[in-house]
Amino acid sequence: HVQLVESGGGSVQPGGSLRLSCAVSGYTSNRGCMGWFRTAPGKEREGVAAMYYDGGNTRYADSVKGRFTISLDNAKNTLYLQMNSLKPEDTALYYCSANPSPYCSLVLRGAAYTYWGQGTQVTVS
């Protein structure tokens, strides 16, 4: 049973940086896909970034490309989202997600992911 626990959210001024962490437990596969999503008030869930569990390709939403970086520390079983040059429109509840299937597709659609964390709030103002 995969469990994901996010941390690292908070309040920051525009132009600032935050690093979100997602502690991963119960993940027995050495393949699969990991992702970050966000939900802003009054808006639909948006895929932010995704990567393969065993490294390699990454994928980013156009709205965060060049500002956000997804990474995975396998030794620490932790997924990260480094967020730089933050904007007020980045304000949202951020979730990490996982799909352990070796046949997963690196997409930014929530339906492609099986496991979800509870979220961590990021406020940029």
Side-chain angles (χ1 to χ4, degrees):
H1 179 64
V2 177
Q3 289 189 311
L4 307 172
V5 180
E6 303 93 338
S7 62
S11 296
V12 64
Q13 293 183 342
S17 298
L18 281 175
R19 188 177 76 160
L20 304 184
S21 300
C22 175
V24 182
S25 61
Y27 196 99
T28 58
S29 171
N30 59 359
R31 303 282 298 279
C33 297
M34 309 291 290
W36 285 96
F37 289 76
R38 66 186 182 185
T39 304
K43 295 186 177 180
E44 294 186 353
R45 182 174 58 190
E46 176 188 20
V48 175
M51 65 177 293
Y52 287 116
Y53 185 83
D54 57 356
N57 289 351
T58 56
R59 188 163 188 168
Y60 295 93
D62 288 342
S63 58
V64 306
K65 206 170 291 184
R67 300 188 298 121
F68 290 12
T69 303
I70 186 172
S71 62
L72 178 66
D73 186 330
N74 295 90
K76 295 182 179 180
N77 294 324
T78 303
L79 181 73
Y80 298 102
L81 184 68
Q82 178 66 45
M83 305 186 297
N84 299 328
S85 302
L86 282 161
K87 304 175 181 180
E89 51 264 42
D90 294 319
T91 295
L93 188 62
Y94 284 72
Y95 302 88
C96 63
S97 59
N99 178 356
S101 169
Y103 309 109
C104 67
S105 297
L106 201 62
V107 295
L108 298 178
R109 289 185 294 107
Y113 294 83
T114 312
Y115 299 99
W116 294 84
Q118 294 299 308
T120 185
Q121 178 68 36
V122 172
T123 302
V124 185
S125 64

